[in-house]
Amino acid sequence: MLPVSKDLIDAARGLVPADIVLRNARIFNPFTCTWEEGNLAVKDGRILGIGNYTGKEEQDLAGRYIVPGLIDAHVHIESSLLAPKEYARLVAMHGTTTVIADPHEIANVAGSKGLAFMLTEREGAAVDIRYMLPSCVPATPLDVGGAILEARDLEQFAGQEGVTGLGEMMNFPGVLAGDEEIGRKLALFPIRDGHAPFLSGNDLNAYILAGPDSDHECTNRAEAEEKLKKGMYIYIREGSTEHNIAELIAVVNPLTVSRCCFATDDCHADLLVHEGHIDRCIRTAVACGLAPELAIRMATLSAAERFGLADRGALTPGRRADFCVIDDPRRFEVKQVYRSGREIITGPATTPAPFHTTVQCIPPTIADIRISGAGTTRVIGLVPHQILTESLQVDIADTSIPDFNRDILKIVVCNRYGKNQRAVGLVHGFGFRRGAIACSISHDAHNIVAAGAGDAEICAAIEAVVKAGGAMAAIAGPIATVLPLDCAGLMSTLPYEEVAQRLGQLGEVTRTMGGIDDPFMYLSFLALTVIPALRITDRGVFDVAQFVDVPLFVKK
Amino acid sequence: MLPVSKDLIDAARGLVPADIVLRNARIFNPFTCTWEEGNLAVKDGRILGIGNYTGKEEQDLAGRYIVPGLIDAHVHIESSLLAPKEYARLVAMHGTTTVIADPHEIANVAGSKGLAFMLTEREGAAVDIRYMLPSCVPATPLDVGGAILEARDLEQFAGQEGVTGLGEMMNFPGVLAGDEEIGRKLALFPIRDGHAPFLSGNDLNAYILAGPDSDHECTNRAEAEEKLKKGMYIYIREGSTEHNIAELIAVVNPLTVSRCCFATDDCHADLLVHEGHIDRCIRTAVACGLAPELAIRMATLSAAERFGLADRGALTPGRRADFCVIDDPRRFEVKQVYRSGREIITGPATTPAPFHTTVQCIPPTIADIRISGAGTTRVIGLVPHQILTESLQVDIADTSIPDFNRDILKIVVCNRYGKNQRAVGLVHGFGFRRGAIACSISHDAHNIVAAGAGDAEICAAIEAVVKAGGAMAAIAGPIATVLPLDCAGLMSTLPYEEVAQRLGQLGEVTRTMGGIDDPFMYLSFLALTVIPALRITDRGVFDVAQFVDVPLFVKK
């Protein structure tokens, strides 16, 4: 640390003017969860204090409210489909000044190169992006994408500016089995996020003992209470698909609030644009009955303390001047945002540094995705509003696909890492009557996955994805609608406004296809081999219960 | 960090037996401030969890209460008059398992050698002694004792096992003046204790901005509330002479409890033996109306979190098995204490490593302490129950001292660092009719200070102190009663039981001298040049308001 300058001390004493004084504000105090009327003084990007100050620049807030900058305790930036700086430009306008991000997706695609890219992109971003290094790349030995990250790979990033700890340890079976490589990863960092849905009792004790001391996977109150009592920080999640605030907010009270934070985990750009970020979490929590002061405490000091960030989370002397001006604690509309003492004005769109292409794939021809024969086949059954699938068995003939009566369509997975490997399977539940969709996001290996009503459309959609260097593509007519995800096949290099707009267009096109809402969400999870029951990889159909590849035909 | 062993993980899962299981306990949970009925399992000195466990050793607690080991957030061990291991042996029996100690006194006497000694003595101690390095040695440029500790001296201890941060920054005028050497000291450590009595408003903002973020000097509620709101941790102090719980406990509530701790600061061995340590603070707080659960939270998790000690403060999986069994949360009588999973049984008395003698002084003769002449003299006036003094002026003749009618006695300060320098002054307020007392504790330089009714007794008392290599000595007849403080002239090498007994004997002797209660307490502060109004050093009488040495005689 550098000693604090005499100039700053003099300014805090009021002997020399501050840079900025915000007068007549109601300033949130997260230590007492009260509002204090006064003048907030800032200099050199740091809070001088609330008191009797004059500033080179002064602003009369006329009783408006100031809260510390909001903190997202756990997010995968890649899920927004935005590159980090563009993500930052977007969430900053919602009052966020710090995000704790786990670059799990790009790490699965590009390993250490992906991590290095994400660390570079934090420089100059509108909010402070801090990383928890992904602990489970790949998620399972059978789910290898573009990289394997071992403890020794992660170790090279330890201590780097912007690296805060170890990201969500999803491999809880491995933790409980005492896996040595996992132990080495956990021993690298004192701050270790957990991920242990439904884990309880002695096994939860063992998991916590091994190191992880947070969880953002709670879905019911009893689960959150047990984890809280056992010393875990609880990140209450409100993402694009996961909505846990309504159920979990009852665990937050004046005694527990210091151990509870908000997390968005996975949020698409359009949701962030239209509904907000952590400000949305606060509004939702308040709507569910939580006192605004407790919700704001969660979003500020509690998160800062959890990550050992003593320089933020409160507007007390010496901390970063990260804060936002809001209209009212209950409405919580963010009117102005300051980071390090400077007001954030929506800047011009940003472009990430060029990232080497990770989508190396020869698009299949119609012949390549042909199914031959007839008999009983394994069919992946979608479950509405779940990423679980059912394992169905259906009699088909190769000529009967697509089978619109029974809603059985083709699904294709193509390796995107230059291995000319692909597989074809069958899926029930999309309900498409025409067209096809394809995507280079498919957890966790992120191969290209496509499904559709016709072989030609499937091939065309995959080709559109490959051509864009990664994309979400929908075809329901002559022209493909494409959101290019040219950054690692996961994120767009477009401005967030345009990404949100293209997501809207993709939604419009898929709605004309006659199927379910949000088909890309389902599609992107159909290759995830850790979630029951039936999946498909670039090797073929995968039975999760037996944890083995299985043939498409049970019998021909 | 080392990875957690598979053996420990298996034990937490319940696959192999724990070392110890305490059955049918009511276990305190500081996260929720509730009690949980269950079985607490321990292995390898760590908590496995509360759950379904069997142990190699089992104990049925039949509903008794278990709380995490107690933590003292701020203490000067030297004030107990006990060497560190003996201090630890004593406080361990009161449920304390961690103390955060500032070795300010021995540092004033012996500098880095004193710090190194204290660090060595923590090894093998019954409780975990962690040090905050003394930030203000000497307290003022005019108060030099045996050492000066600069930032570069402290830097050598940074990162050493057992060094937690920077101790109380008492020199708040220096902090506010932007003193560069102070800035360098504050920049050495992220955890920095403050000491800022009555500091408020903009100046308090400036002090906090400079680094210190705790305070244990609050004496009124408004002061504590302001400091709490400004982000300071508040250590509520209950020592031998400072009693702040009754006034301050009202600031503790479910929202603020995570930022409030207990501290004893200065406690003599006899008080620790007869009334207790942090257990006494809890009892006192509860008697003042605080819920026992909040008091226990302060004494455990809050203190652990403040010092970044994530391995203790709660009985959750993986933390140190530091805890105590108590009869009842309100009575809070400590029945059993465990540290790192082993029950602490009062062990045999300990002896510190030999410490080089720091008491180098030729005792004065009666001729050496003679006052010559008559006229108006400066007299130090004691103020009952305060360490403040009054600056009096009294006409005397050399032959009239001791003046029992006006209660004016001689006070003598002898340099103990081998400089053959001594000074004689006059003091009002001891009330002695006979005898003398002398002591090698005199804040902060710790020269030998003596006062008494007769020159021969004063000389004999000083001689007894020198002969013992440091001591508290009282003479009211032919034989000196001596508590040897042969460890740096500050601490005894005797067992705590005997130290407490000798303190009792010293009290009996001084009571026969006809004067005030607790005369050693007053005596030990009369050389402290930072507290108004009149003081005495080995150079002579000192006027605090003018901050200069002054002659004894105003006019002869």
Side-chain angles (χ1 to χ4, degrees):
Chain A
M1 288 189 291
L2 288 175
V4 174
S5 73
K6 184 171 186 313
D7 196 34
L8 210 55
I9 292 171
D10 283 348
R13 298 183 71 187
L15 306 181
V16 301
D19 290 345
I20 311 165
V21 175
L22 299 175
R23 299 204 165 279
N24 301 315
R26 286 185 257 195
I27 303 143
F28 182 67
N29 189 306
F31 299 105
T32 52
C33 286
T34 54
W35 301 89
E36 191 172 348
E37 292 185 31
N39 309 317
L40 183 70
V42 171
K43 186 178 165 67
D44 298 350
R46 296 172 73 174
I47 301 291
L48 297 176
I50 300 168
N52 185 15
Y53 291 107
T54 56
K56 292 174 196 163
E57 189 189 319
E58 302 203 350
Q59 197 184 332
D60 188 338
L61 288 194
R64 283 201 297 283
Y65 297 80
I66 297 181
V67 302
L70 308 182
I71 302 174
D72 189 337
H74 175 71
V75 61
H76 304 288
I77 291 176
E78 301 96 314
S79 296
S80 72
L81 311 175
L82 304 172
K85 279 202 185 70
E86 205 53 17
Y87 175 85
R89 191 171 73 90
L90 169 50
V91 299
M93 298 323 295
H94 289 285
T96 301
T97 52
T98 300
V99 298
I100 311 296
D102 178 349
H104 173 75
E105 310 307 346
I106 196 169
N108 268 288
V109 167
S112 295
K113 278 186 190 165
L115 299 185
F117 169 77
M118 295 298 268
L119 278 162
T120 306
E121 289 299 305
R122 69 187 291 276
E123 287 162 30
V127 309
D128 188 15
I129 302 172
R130 307 188 69 82
Y131 293 111
M132 301 290 276
L133 298 186
S135 61
C136 301
V137 177
T140 75
L142 281 181
D143 218 26
V144 180
I148 296 171
L149 284 180
E150 296 184 339
R152 61 184 170 193
D153 302 310
L154 299 182
E155 196 171 8
Q156 294 169 17
F157 293 93
Q160 276 194 31
E161 178 61 30
V163 173
T164 294
L166 188 72
E168 51 178 326
M169 176 48 74
M170 294 179 281
N171 189 355
F172 54 87
V175 172
L176 296 183
D179 181 285
E180 288 187 10
E181 175 66 12
I182 291 176
R184 280 190 288 272
K185 287 179 178 175
L186 287 166
L188 287 175
F189 300 93
I191 299 177
R192 296 159 292 190
D193 275 342
H195 164 119
F198 306 120
L199 208 62
S200 171
N202 284 12
D203 276 357
L204 178 59
N205 292 347
Y207 181 76
I208 293 169
L209 180 138
D213 67 344
S214 73
D215 193 80
H216 59 274
E217 295 290 336
C218 295
T219 46
N220 70 76
R221 184 173 167 178
E223 183 183 7
E225 277 172 353
E226 182 185 355
K227 288 175 175 170
L228 196 58
K229 281 191 173 177
K230 288 181 172 173
M232 290 188 127
Y233 287 87
I234 302 299
Y235 310 158
I236 298 182
R237 176 174 57 183
E238 197 77 6
S240 274
T241 51
E242 303 101 341
H243 303 283
N244 303 136
I245 288 180
E247 170 68 21
L248 299 183
I249 207 67
V251 304
V252 182
N253 63 46
L255 273 170
T256 61
V257 68
S258 67
R259 311 284 299 188
C260 298
C261 312
F262 288 116
T264 59
D265 207 353
D266 301 289
C267 263
H268 283 182
D270 51 349
L271 182 106
L272 293 169
V273 167
H274 301 309
E275 297 191 25
H277 184 223
I278 298 298
D279 56 333
R280 165 183 173 249
C281 295
I282 292 172
R283 288 189 296 266
T284 305
V286 171
C288 292
L290 189 68
E293 291 75 19
L294 294 185
I296 301 168
R297 212 285 189 191
M298 287 174 68
T300 57
L301 183 62
S302 300
E305 288 185 333
R306 186 284 179 270
F307 293 102
L309 303 172
D311 65 347
R312 65 196 80 184
L315 301 175
T316 52
R319 297 196 191 223
R320 284 166 172 249
D322 289 359
F323 56 87
C324 30
V325 178
I326 59 166
D327 60 336
D328 172 273
R330 294 198 155 264
R331 273 198 305 272
F332 210 90
E333 282 179 23
V334 176
K335 299 297 185 187
Q336 289 176 284
V337 185
Y338 286 78
R339 180 171 170 229
S340 296
R342 289 196 188 169
E343 188 169 358
I344 304 180
I345 311 290
T346 315
T350 61
T351 310
F355 191 68
H356 71 102
T357 181
T358 59
V359 179
Q360 294 165 27
C361 175
I362 300 163
T365 62
I366 291 175
D368 290 332
I369 64 169
R370 188 163 293 153
I371 293 174
S372 302
T376 305
T377 56
R378 293 180 170 87
V379 175
I380 301 168
L382 303 189
V383 180
H385 311 296
Q386 301 277 349
I387 62 173
L388 290 173
T389 64
E390 287 180 303
S391 179
L392 308 174
Q393 297 204 353
V394 181
D395 292 329
I396 65 142
D398 48 13
T399 52
S400 69
I401 301 300
D403 180 334
F404 294 123
N405 289 335
R406 295 190 290 175
D407 183 21
I408 295 172
L409 306 180
K410 243 180 221 172
I411 178 164
V412 177
V413 176
C414 301
N415 181 281
R416 68 128 106 168
Y417 301 101
K419 274 162 87 174
N420 194 21
Q421 180 166 284
R422 68 181 70 86
V424 182
L426 296 169
V427 62
H428 165 79
F430 276 113
F432 296 146
R433 294 288 171 151
R434 52 195 288 258
I437 60 173
C439 184
S440 54
I441 299 169
S442 76
H443 301 281
D444 278 334
H446 298 301
N447 287 311
I448 298 169
V449 59
D455 288 358
E457 288 92 338
I458 288 173
C459 290
I462 293 172
E463 190 171 355
V465 168
V466 173
K467 207 168 148 187
M472 292 164 75
I475 290 189
I479 298 168
T481 302
V482 179
L483 167 57
L485 301 175
D486 44 330
C487 182
L490 298 169
M491 296 171 278
S492 179
T493 58
L494 293 172
Y496 74 76
E497 297 90 342
E498 196 167 340
V499 172
Q501 195 188 22
R502 297 246 185 145
L503 282 170
Q505 290 168 354
L506 285 168
E508 281 168 30
V509 173
T510 56
R511 271 190 293 279
T512 69
M513 290 162 61
I516 56 174
D517 284 341
D518 218 355
F520 282 106
M521 192 281 284
Y522 293 93
L523 187 69
S524 67
F525 283 103
L526 290 180
L528 185 59
T529 56
V530 290
I531 310 279
L534 202 64
R535 303 279 154 184
I536 181 165
T537 74
D538 58 350
R539 298 181 308 275
V541 184
F542 186 83
D543 183 309
V544 180
Q546 299 177 60
F547 217 72
V548 289
D549 293 323
V550 289
L552 175 61
F553 281 91
V554 183
K555 64 169 188 247
K556 276 199 191 180
Chain B
M1 285 190 293
L2 288 175
V4 174
S5 73
K6 183 170 187 314
D7 195 34
L8 210 55
I9 292 171
D10 283 347
R13 298 183 72 188
L15 306 181
V16 300
D19 291 344
I20 311 164
V21 175
L22 299 175
R23 299 205 166 278
N24 301 314
R26 287 185 256 193
I27 302 144
F28 182 67
N29 189 305
F31 299 106
T32 52
C33 287
T34 54
W35 302 89
E36 190 172 349
E37 290 184 35
N39 309 318
L40 183 70
V42 171
K43 185 177 165 69
D44 298 349
R46 297 172 72 174
I47 301 291
L48 297 176
I50 300 169
N52 185 13
Y53 292 106
T54 55
K56 294 175 197 162
E57 187 189 319
E58 302 202 350
Q59 196 184 332
D60 189 337
L61 287 195
R64 283 202 296 284
Y65 297 80
I66 297 181
V67 302
L70 309 181
I71 302 174
D72 189 337
H74 175 70
V75 61
H76 304 288
I77 291 176
E78 301 95 313
S79 296
S80 72
L81 310 176
L82 303 173
K85 280 202 186 71
E86 205 52 19
Y87 175 84
R89 192 171 72 91
L90 169 50
V91 299
M93 298 322 295
H94 290 284
T96 301
T97 53
T98 300
V99 298
I100 310 296
D102 178 348
H104 174 75
E105 311 306 345
I106 197 170
N108 268 286
V109 167
S112 296
K113 279 186 190 163
L115 298 184
F117 168 77
M118 295 298 268
L119 278 162
T120 306
E121 289 299 306
R122 70 188 288 277
E123 286 162 29
V127 309
D128 188 15
I129 302 172
R130 307 189 69 82
Y131 293 111
M132 301 289 277
L133 298 185
S135 61
C136 302
V137 177
T140 74
L142 281 180
D143 219 26
V144 181
I148 297 172
L149 284 180
E150 297 183 339
R152 62 184 169 192
D153 301 312
L154 299 182
E155 196 171 7
Q156 294 169 15
F157 293 94
Q160 277 194 29
E161 178 61 28
V163 173
T164 293
L166 189 70
E168 52 179 325
M169 177 47 76
M170 293 180 280
N171 189 356
F172 54 85
V175 172
L176 296 182
D179 181 286
E180 289 188 8
E181 174 65 12
I182 291 176
R184 280 190 288 273
K185 286 180 178 175
L186 287 166
L188 287 176
F189 301 93
I191 300 178
R192 296 160 291 190
D193 275 342
H195 164 119
F198 305 120
L199 207 62
S200 172
N202 284 11
D203 276 356
L204 178 59
N205 291 348
Y207 180 76
I208 292 169
L209 179 137
D213 67 345
S214 73
D215 192 80
H216 59 275
E217 294 290 335
C218 296
T219 46
N220 70 76
R221 184 173 166 178
E223 182 184 7
E225 278 172 351
E226 181 185 357
K227 288 175 175 170
L228 197 56
K229 282 191 172 176
K230 289 182 172 173
M232 290 186 127
Y233 288 87
I234 301 299
Y235 309 159
I236 299 182
R237 176 174 56 183
E238 198 76 7
S240 274
T241 52
E242 303 100 342
H243 303 283
N244 303 136
I245 288 180
E247 170 68 22
L248 299 183
I249 208 67
V251 305
V252 182
N253 63 47
L255 273 170
T256 61
V257 68
S258 67
R259 311 284 298 185
C260 298
C261 312
F262 288 117
T264 59
D265 206 355
D266 301 288
C267 264
H268 283 182
D270 50 349
L271 183 105
L272 294 168
V273 167
H274 301 310
E275 298 191 23
H277 184 223
I278 297 298
D279 57 332
R280 165 182 172 247
C281 295
I282 292 172
R283 288 189 296 267
T284 306
V286 170
C288 292
L290 189 69
E293 291 75 19
L294 294 186
I296 300 167
R297 213 282 189 193
M298 287 174 68
T300 58
L301 183 62
S302 300
E305 289 186 332
R306 186 288 178 266
F307 293 102
L309 302 172
D311 65 348
R312 63 195 83 185
L315 301 175
T316 53
R319 297 196 191 222
R320 284 166 174 249
D322 289 358
F323 56 85
C324 29
V325 178
I326 59 167
D327 60 336
D328 172 274
R330 295 198 155 265
R331 271 197 306 272
F332 210 90
E333 281 178 24
V334 175
K335 299 297 186 188
Q336 290 176 283
V337 185
Y338 286 77
R339 179 170 171 229
S340 295
R342 289 197 188 167
E343 187 169 359
I344 303 180
I345 311 290
T346 314
T350 63
T351 309
F355 191 68
H356 71 101
T357 181
T358 59
V359 179
Q360 294 164 29
C361 174
I362 300 164
T365 62
I366 291 175
D368 289 330
I369 64 168
R370 189 162 291 153
I371 294 174
S372 303
T376 305
T377 55
R378 293 179 169 87
V379 175
I380 301 168
L382 304 189
V383 180
H385 310 296
Q386 301 277 349
I387 62 171
L388 291 172
T389 65
E390 288 179 303
S391 178
L392 308 174
Q393 296 205 352
V394 181
D395 292 327
I396 64 140
D398 49 12
T399 52
S400 69
I401 302 300
D403 180 335
F404 295 123
N405 289 334
R406 296 189 291 175
D407 183 20
I408 295 171
L409 306 180
K410 242 177 223 174
I411 178 166
V412 176
V413 176
C414 301
N415 181 282
R416 68 127 106 168
Y417 301 101
K419 273 162 90 176
N420 194 21
Q421 182 168 284
R422 68 182 69 86
V424 182
L426 295 170
V427 61
H428 165 79
F430 275 113
F432 296 146
R433 293 289 171 151
R434 51 196 285 259
I437 60 174
C439 184
S440 54
I441 298 170
S442 74
H443 300 281
D444 275 337
H446 298 302
N447 286 312
I448 298 169
V449 59
D455 289 359
E457 289 91 339
I458 289 174
C459 290
I462 295 173
E463 192 173 352
V465 168
V466 173
K467 206 167 149 189
M472 292 165 74
I475 291 190
I479 298 167
T481 301
V482 178
L483 167 58
L485 303 174
D486 44 329
C487 182
L490 298 169
M491 295 171 278
S492 180
T493 58
L494 293 173
Y496 74 75
E497 296 89 343
E498 196 168 339
V499 172
Q501 193 187 25
R502 296 247 186 145
L503 282 169
Q505 289 168 353
L506 284 167
E508 281 168 31
V509 173
T510 56
R511 271 190 292 280
T512 70
M513 290 162 61
I516 56 175
D517 284 341
D518 219 355
F520 282 105
M521 192 281 284
Y522 293 92
L523 188 69
S524 67
F525 283 104
L526 290 179
L528 186 59
T529 56
V530 290
I531 309 280
L534 202 64
R535 301 281 153 183
I536 182 164
T537 75
D538 59 349
R539 297 181 308 275
V541 184
F542 186 83
D543 182 309
V544 180
Q546 301 177 56
F547 217 71
V548 287
D549 293 323
V550 289
L552 175 63
F553 281 91
V554 183
K555 64 169 188 247
K556 276 199 190 183

